[in-house]
Amino acid sequence: MAITDELAALREQTLSAIEEAVDTAALDAVRVAVIGKSGTLTGYLRNMGQVAKEQRAEVGKAVNEARKVVEEALEARKATLAAAELAASIDAAAVDITLPGRTQQLGTRHLINRVSEEICDVFLGLGYTVAEGPEVETDYYNFTALNAPADHPSRSMQDTFYVVDRSGDEAAVRGESDVLLRTQTSGVQVHCMEDQELPIYIVAPGKVFRRDVADPSHLPQFTQIEGLVVDKGITFGDLKGTLDYFCKAVFGPERKTRFRAHYFPFTEPSAEVDVSCGVCHGEGCRMCKGTGWLEILGCGMVDPNVLEMSGIDPEVYSGFAFGVGVERVACLKYNVPDLRYLLQGDMRFLRQF
Ligand code: DAH
């Protein structure tokens, strides 16, 4: 067979091998076999010296042409195969976005904390600041400095947990400890009057402890928010206006308040504040035990003795104070019938808020 016929056959054979190559690796094998260093077509170029002189031009041209056609075909096929391989690898790595995701359980703030912050926010809006005091307190701050010296009958209003020192202190072992778990946040008033510059406008949220058995309306540990204002010219009118505003801010503008005379050792005069029942709007129902009113806080004008014991001149300054139970406000606001639900940690209950 003439060399040119051989070349034509090689060329056709190579083109169909290129078309049949299933992937880029197979294609490269064809390239190496034909136009690689020791490829078949390269062999013709290398052996040109053995071709008869008069045929050389023709053969040379045919070889070059064949090479050009093969190179172009290789390029074209390579592009097609590379695109297909890329598409296949993208398909293989695809994420199935129809799988349902794993839902994250979002936590919520506990109702006690939420209501506590809500109450404090009302007073922050009036320019008050938040104060704090210790939960383990001395008898002086919890009782004496609040006008309830030893043996004062008001002490029995709040049954107290004493912190007993077992190290051998005789009085403490007998239970006559000076250290106790505070029964009320009112002691923070004394710390503030001792430590802060006048005038004072504070609210003090915190835990308090009493030797009570838990029942629907009592808890041995609960949360109070104390309020204290000491300034020049503070009157009972300021107290009423402030606490009426507070009740409406927390329970709703349509609610009414009333002030009932009461007794607390550290305020004179003292009062309890009731807010009109949100269930029956004052008609009388089970929620308000038929009275139309719900008791929500204690308050009064700071007793001059209390101011004096903390080094404030009652001739120059006057003030009012109040104490509100956070759990009670939370239960009244959300119609929870039993304070104990707040502390049982039942997620079905807590998630409602
Ligand atoms: N400390 C009182 C209690 O726990 C509540 C209270 C009443 C606080 C009147 C006050 C107040 O500041 O003025 O029962």
Side-chain angles (χ1 to χ4, degrees):
M1 199 187 341
I3 295 180
T4 44
D5 293 338
E6 277 177 33
L7 280 168
L10 176 58
R11 180 171 138 170
E12 287 320 304
Q13 209 185 323
T14 305
L15 289 179
S16 54
I18 289 172
E19 268 326 292
E20 279 155 26
V22 288
D23 54 27
T24 48
L27 186 67
D28 205 50
V30 176
R31 181 187 65 79
V32 171
V34 180
I35 58 170
K37 242 190 216 159
S38 17
T40 41
L41 196 55
T42 315
Y44 282 97
L45 272 178
R46 192 166 293 148
N47 296 332
M48 267 322 229
Q50 290 156 24
V51 176
K53 226 177 173 185
E54 56 284 7
Q55 283 188 331
R56 260 184 220 160
E58 193 190 349
V59 172
K61 195 174 156 217
V63 171
N64 281 330
E65 246 179 48
R67 190 184 166 90
K68 194 167 164 252
V69 170
V70 166
E71 274 174 354
E72 281 169 7
L74 279 170
E75 269 319 302
R77 183 72 183 145
K78 191 174 163 187
T80 313
L81 288 174
E85 279 167 19
L86 179 64
S89 82
I90 290 172
D91 272 357
V95 175
D96 180 358
I97 57 165
T98 63
L99 260 186
R102 290 188 199 103
T103 48
Q104 289 285 343
Q105 295 261 4
L106 271 191
T108 54
R109 263 141 72 240
H110 194 280
L111 184 59
I112 296 176
N113 293 332
R114 268 203 21 214
V115 171
S116 178
E117 284 168 28
E118 194 183 321
I119 294 173
C120 288
D121 277 349
V122 172
F123 289 97
L124 290 178
L126 294 174
Y128 289 50
T129 53
V130 173
E132 269 181 15
E135 289 169 7
V136 178
E137 188 54 285
T138 60
D139 182 276
Y140 178 79
Y141 285 99
N142 195 72
F143 291 122
T144 310
L146 290 163
N147 215 22
D151 301 327
H152 193 280
S154 73
R155 286 186 176 220
S156 59
M157 286 161 74
Q158 299 170 0
D159 230 340
T160 310
F161 286 114
Y162 285 91
V163 178
V164 173
D165 178 356
R166 297 278 178 209
S167 67
D169 174 342
E170 281 298 313
V173 172
R174 281 202 309 275
E176 296 163 16
S177 172
D178 264 350
V179 183
L180 45 79
L181 300 185
R182 65 178 176 191
T183 58
Q184 50 187 356
T185 44
S186 301
V188 186
Q189 290 186 33
V190 181
H191 288 290
C192 288
M193 288 190 283
E194 286 180 357
D195 301 343
Q196 292 193 12
E197 302 269 307
L198 293 165
I200 293 170
Y201 288 81
I202 58 104
V203 278
K207 296 188 188 79
V208 299
F209 308 86
R210 292 185 194 177
R211 288 176 52 179
D212 275 328
V213 176
D215 69 21
S217 53
H218 295 84
L219 294 172
Q221 177 199 306
F222 59 102
T223 315
Q224 279 189 336
I225 296 181
E226 194 75 16
L228 174 69
V229 169
V230 181
D231 204 346
K232 289 178 179 159
I234 296 294
T235 67
F236 201 83
D238 296 314
L239 174 153
K240 283 186 79 176
T242 304
L243 295 180
D244 181 67
Y245 169 82
F246 157 72
C247 290
K248 289 181 161 68
V250 171
F251 290 102
E254 73 288 352
R255 305 293 276 269
K256 296 190 183 70
T257 54
R258 75 173 181 187
F259 291 69
R260 266 184 299 106
H262 196 76
Y263 172 77
F264 295 105
F266 37 86
T267 43
E268 182 59 35
S270 304
E272 276 188 334
V273 179
D274 298 338
V275 66
S276 56
C277 180
V279 175
C280 63
H281 305 287
E283 298 281 302
C285 67
R286 251 179 46 189
M287 181 80 174
C288 57
K289 300 198 180 81
T291 64
W293 296 96
L294 303 163
E295 175 204 321
I296 58 151
L297 58 83
C299 62
M301 300 304 290
V302 184
D303 192 300
N305 277 343
V306 172
L307 293 173
E308 217 158 9
M309 276 187 275
S310 296
I312 295 171
D313 185 351
E315 298 294 330
V316 183
Y317 285 95
S318 57
F320 67 79
F322 55 90
V324 51
V326 174
E327 286 80 358
R328 188 166 162 76
V329 170
C331 287
L332 292 178
K333 187 164 170 168
Y334 295 103
N335 289 333
V336 178
D338 190 324
L339 291 179
R340 292 173 297 184
Y341 286 142
L342 296 176
L343 297 186
Q344 282 165 346
D346 185 331
M347 298 307 285
R348 293 167 303 177
F349 171 78
L350 294 171
R351 280 194 191 291
Q352 300 176 83
F353 306 103

